Amino acid sequence: VSCYVMWRTVLRGISANLVQGKRNMSQSCLAGKVAIVTASTDGIGLAAAVALGRRGAHVVVSSRRQANVDRAVATLQGQDIKVTGTTCNVGKSEDREKLVQMTLDQCGGIDILVSNAAVNPFFGNIMDSTEAVWDKILDVNVKSAFLMTKLVVPHIEKRGGGSVVFVSSVAGYQPMPALGPYSVSKTALLGLTRALAPELAQSNIRVNCVAPGVIKTQFSSMLWKNEDVAEEFMKQTCIKRVGEPEEIGGVIAFLCSKDASYITGETITVTGGMNCRL
């Protein structure tokens, strides 16, 4: 009996060590990596920064307002995450260049870009949208996503490869009422992902996309705070609730990890089971 007890104790110890080893690997799978996350002081962007940071990456956060940057940096530092922060309006070329240069100066390189910045200055019938609305939405949501990628690719190449993740939306597959121009811009990101993936694969850079459903962020508050609108969305989901930012952050971190090393050119829908694609 004592021999049986001894072996059972040994096996338990081995099992515990294996589990702990796997846990430590998952917690440090991005150790030594540097990740730029745009629009990352709140919502999905901040959740992505937290998820990447918890896995060992040094994250570079940014948004247009210094106070928001300071708050996000303090939040991440409070979780023992290596973080650098700066203001950045991704719609301005000088701000994009400043963000990249500051990352190089302070972190020594770039491995990951998460392009999360987006605007929606219009709500209504698409035929009532103006040229100025389209210029603003396409400049920030699509063009800046590509131009940020173009800026960071040479530096990711120097590190032997890495990952780019665009944050699209379920609206990219199924345009939402009153959000026509925004929805079209999110559809464009699906195409940008597919267009970039084969070219950048030659440099060992994977390009993927996430398409969140209705997530509990300030940006989408008009969708989930309105009970009637929220109820309509709930009817379309299998999981009868609004998603949390952390549930998108984890998927983004996965796409940037070795666990996703054979995935490129793909969009992962994270929608609670909304029927938006095959």
Side-chain angles (χ1 to χ4, degrees):
V1 174
S2 61
C3 194
Y4 168 75
V5 171
M6 180 186 75
W7 277 110
R8 189 172 63 179
T9 303
V10 169
L11 288 171
R12 278 181 180 169
I14 291 172
S15 177
N17 286 338
L18 286 171
V19 169
Q20 186 60 42
K22 286 181 179 178
R23 190 174 294 132
N24 288 340
M25 282 174 65
S26 67
Q27 289 175 344
S28 62
C29 64
L30 295 174
K33 305 296 185 184
V34 176
I36 293 176
V37 186
T38 63
S40 44
T41 60
D42 196 10
I44 289 171
L46 180 59
V50 169
L52 292 165
R54 282 180 177 168
R55 288 159 177 79
H58 184 142
V59 292
V60 179
V61 299
S62 64
S63 73
R64 287 175 293 178
R65 294 180 179 85
Q66 185 67 52
N68 294 344
V69 172
D70 293 342
R71 187 180 67 245
V73 167
T75 298
L76 292 164
Q77 286 177 337
Q79 299 183 38
D80 292 324
I81 289 171
K82 290 174 286 187
V83 58
T84 301
T86 185
T87 54
C88 178
N89 179 345
V90 295
K92 296 181 177 179
S93 61
E94 60 269 27
D95 277 23
R96 293 191 297 267
E97 290 165 7
K98 180 190 76 171
L99 174 60
V100 171
Q101 191 58 53
M102 188 212 68
T103 303
L104 296 172
D105 291 344
Q106 298 200 21
C107 306
I110 302 167
D111 302 280
I112 294 164
L113 169 66
V114 178
S115 180
N116 175 61
V119 296
N120 178 46
F122 177 80
F123 190 82
N125 294 328
I126 191 169
M127 289 302 292
D128 294 330
S129 58
T130 64
E131 183 176 0
V133 162
W134 282 93
D135 286 345
K136 179 74 171 177
I137 288 176
L138 293 178
D139 271 357
V140 174
N141 298 11
V142 183
K143 193 167 76 172
S144 73
F146 168 71
L147 293 173
M148 272 300 301
T149 304
K150 192 170 183 178
L151 271 179
V152 302
V153 159
H155 304 292
I156 298 178
E157 285 177 329
K158 290 176 185 175
R159 307 269 275 198
S163 187
V164 174
V165 178
F166 298 116
V167 179
S168 178
S169 167
V170 64
Y173 287 101
Q174 182 57 55
M176 291 184 179
L179 293 174
Y182 172 83
S183 299
V184 171
S185 75
K186 292 300 185 176
T187 304
L189 291 177
L190 309 181
L192 181 60
T193 300
R194 295 297 294 271
L196 283 171
E199 285 193 25
L200 296 186
Q202 301 167 37
S203 301
N204 196 32
I205 298 172
R206 296 181 299 103
V207 184
N208 291 294
C209 188
V210 293
V214 181
I215 307 300
K216 199 169 186 179
T217 66
Q218 188 60 39
F219 187 83
S220 65
S221 60
M222 63 181 176
L223 300 178
W224 56 268
K225 280 188 175 178
N226 183 308
E227 287 186 13
D228 293 334
V229 174
E231 187 178 339
E232 282 304 307
F233 278 114
M234 290 308 101
K235 290 177 183 176
Q236 300 175 45
T237 64
C238 300
I239 301 173
K240 301 297 182 182
R241 62 173 175 81
V242 174
E244 297 291 338
E246 294 74 20
E247 293 174 302
I248 310 300
V251 174
I252 291 171
F254 159 72
L255 286 172
C256 296
S257 74
K258 286 184 179 180
D259 288 339
S261 58
Y262 201 49
I263 301 176
T264 195
E266 295 292 339
T267 298
I268 297 182
T269 54
V270 192
T271 65
M274 290 177 72
N275 185 22
C276 63
R277 61 179 289 192
L278 288 177

